[in-house]
Amino acid sequence: KSFSSSSSLGRHRQIHLGKRPYKCPYAHCQKTFIQRTTLTRHRKLYTSKKPHRCEKCGKPFNDLTSLTRHLLTYLGKRLY
């Protein structure tokens, strides 16, 4: 596999090495993450902040990616 940058390669190596240095700070949660950005997204699950709202049904979401995935359901499409 080839990578466009050394940081991408380093991130990929962590998968094979099993390194997950970013740990959820909530005592009841044991999740760990390879990337800090993934931990940041995960932490939003514990806050009541849901700034992204569906214009069709009003359902709120923590992040734009989740809202986008939701909007695709109206079109009958999936991301995978």
Side-chain angles (χ1 to χ4, degrees), residues 54-56 61 66-76:
C54 176
E55 292 181 4
K56 291 187 179 255
F61 296 91
S66 298
L67 172 59
T68 302
R69 187 179 312 117
H70 169 78
L71 290 172
L72 289 174
T73 63
Y74 290 113
L75 301 173

Side-chain angles (χ1 to χ4, degrees), residues 5 17 24-25 29-30 37 54 59 61 63 80:
S5 67
L17 295 173
C24 181
C29 184
Q30 301 299 309
T37 55
C54 176
K59 186 174 180 178
F61 296 91
D63 57 71
Y80 50 90

Side-chain angles (χ1 to χ4, degrees), residues 21-22 33-43:
Y22 301 101
F33 303 92
I34 293 170
Q35 295 179 306
R36 185 177 17 202
T37 55
T38 310
L39 170 60
T40 301
R41 188 175 340 130
H42 170 77
R43 289 179 70 175

Side-chain angles (χ1 to χ4, degrees), residues 21 27 30 32 46 49 51 64 69 72:
Q30 301 299 309
T32 58
Y46 296 107
K49 295 178 186 175
L64 195 54
R69 187 179 312 117
L72 289 174

